[in-house]
Each structure stands twice: as C-alpha cells, then as structure tokens.
Amino acid sequence: MAENHPKLPCTAAFLLTLFSLISSLAALEPNTFSRHLSPSSLGLKKKEKLSHLHFYFHDIVAGENATAVRVAKAKTTTDTSPFGAVAVIDDPLTVSPDIGSKMVGKAQGIYALTSKTEASLLMAYNFAFMEGKYNGSSLGVMGRNPVFSAVREMPVIGGSGVFRFARGYAEARTHAFDLKTGNAVVEYNVYVFHY
C-alpha cells in the first residue's frame, strides 16, 4: 500500500513560490539591450521639415575615370544578359547635367542587375553631401530601379547629420544615356522629411 506523504504538497508549493519569486526578480533586472527614450532626448522636439533636393547623378562605367566598377558577376552573366552583375559606385552629384558643374556630393554604394527579363537594378547607396548646410550629411536609398522607365521612384530609408531620422523618396529620370559606353546622367528629385 502506498504511503501518504503530508509534506509533499508543502514542498511543491514552496518550490512553486520560489520559482515565481525568481522569475519576478529576473524581470526586474535592467534590460541592457534596449530602453524606451523620449523623442526630445534626441532633439526630436522640433517640427519636421520637408526638403526638396535636385541634382544630377553621373554614372561613368567606361574610361579611365570610371565611377561605377563591376565587382562581381554570375556564371550566366553576359553582355546581352547582364543579370547577376554587381557594381560599386562613387558617382558625382552635380547641380546641372554638365559633369563640370558644381559638385554637391557623391552617390556611394552598390547596384545589382536583378531581372532576367528587363534592365532593372537593386540600388543600395548613400547620397553623401559635401556642400552648404548639408555638408557631412547623407541620405540612404534602397530600392528597385527599372532603368528604361521614364520615372523611377525609390525610398529614402534614413539618413545622418541633418537628415537623421529622414524618410521620403527619390525620383530618378534619365537625362542622357550613351548606348556605346553605358555612361549615364540621371536627374534626381528627392523629397525628404527630416528634423
């Protein structure tokens, strides 16, 4: 016959209470990974501004002074099917379509040919500004660019400096494209909210 242990329910209750207490204390420890902040602690008490930036992007893929360089390609990449090619860019941004006009910054990042059926790029780059009140600030852009569409829209996903916490979009329009060299001049209108 089984013995009756009157102390067993008390032991189980004690262990359950102890476990509950330890769990509660663990929840009280400070979380070193994240914390809640007041937006004003980061200078975000100012009213948001909407800015419009207009400039020209010079993508130079041919010649001694190339600003876009292919750094990778797939085994299937060819001149007629560039799918899988990846380029790194350091393209000048100027105030007019003339490459000799005033430079206001550079587009620095990468683009990859991501479509088998059309000339479409995944672009991930920063507009790094070096002129006027935006000197030292940047905007991050990442999105799809179907290059033969009249107007392409890509999201602005953030920024630094004056553009900290930025959001908006960039419109790209091809101003000139040289079929022989692949060099292009692209007009950009960027609309961005920032503090």
Side-chain angles (χ1 to χ4, degrees):
M1 198 178 230
E3 287 184 39
N4 214 354
H5 293 286
K7 293 183 181 180
L8 190 56
C10 291
T11 304
F14 172 76
L15 290 175
L16 191 57
T17 303
L18 183 63
F19 177 70
S20 178
L21 182 63
I22 291 171
S23 295
S24 297
L25 289 175
L28 295 176
E29 288 183 28
N31 185 346
T32 58
F33 176 69
S34 68
R35 61 189 170 123
H36 293 283
L37 295 175
S38 162
S40 63
S41 71
L42 295 175
L44 300 179
K45 53 190 164 192
K46 301 179 213 168
K47 189 174 180 177
E48 255 186 331
K49 297 178 235 175
L50 174 62
S51 294
H52 171 226
L53 295 95
H54 178 257
F55 49 83
Y56 291 83
F57 170 109
H58 299 267
D59 195 46
I60 305 163
V61 297
E64 287 182 27
N65 295 318
T67 60
V69 178
R70 183 183 284 184
V71 294
K73 64 179 187 169
K75 289 180 183 180
T76 57
T77 302
T78 66
D79 287 341
T80 57
S81 177
F83 173 70
V86 179
V88 173
I89 63 170
D90 187 23
D91 290 344
L93 306 175
T94 62
V95 295
S96 82
D98 177 10
I99 187 95
S101 66
K102 183 178 183 179
M103 186 164 63
V104 294
K106 291 192 167 193
Q108 298 173 324
I110 62 171
Y111 58 76
L113 287 112
T114 56
S115 175
K116 290 181 175 185
T117 58
E118 66 176 322
S120 182
L121 308 172
L122 166 65
M123 300 193 73
Y125 57 99
N126 291 305
F127 292 135
F129 298 104
M130 19 173 142
E131 187 60 40
K133 65 182 175 181
Y134 302 130
N135 184 25
S137 298
S138 67
L139 288 171
V141 177
M142 185 171 135
R144 182 176 182 267
N145 183 354
V147 296
F148 291 122
S149 294
V151 179
R152 289 90 68 195
E153 188 175 301
M154 292 165 279
V156 171
I157 58 172
S160 67
V162 172
F163 296 117
R164 192 175 299 145
F165 291 104
R167 68 187 195 288
Y169 68 99
E171 279 185 354
R173 290 177 172 84
T174 301
H175 177 78
F177 179 68
D178 185 330
L179 283 170
K180 199 174 201 178
T181 64
N183 294 345
V185 178
V186 181
E187 179 183 19
Y188 271 85
N189 282 288
V190 181
Y191 301 91
V192 62
F193 283 102
H194 61 97
Y195 289 95

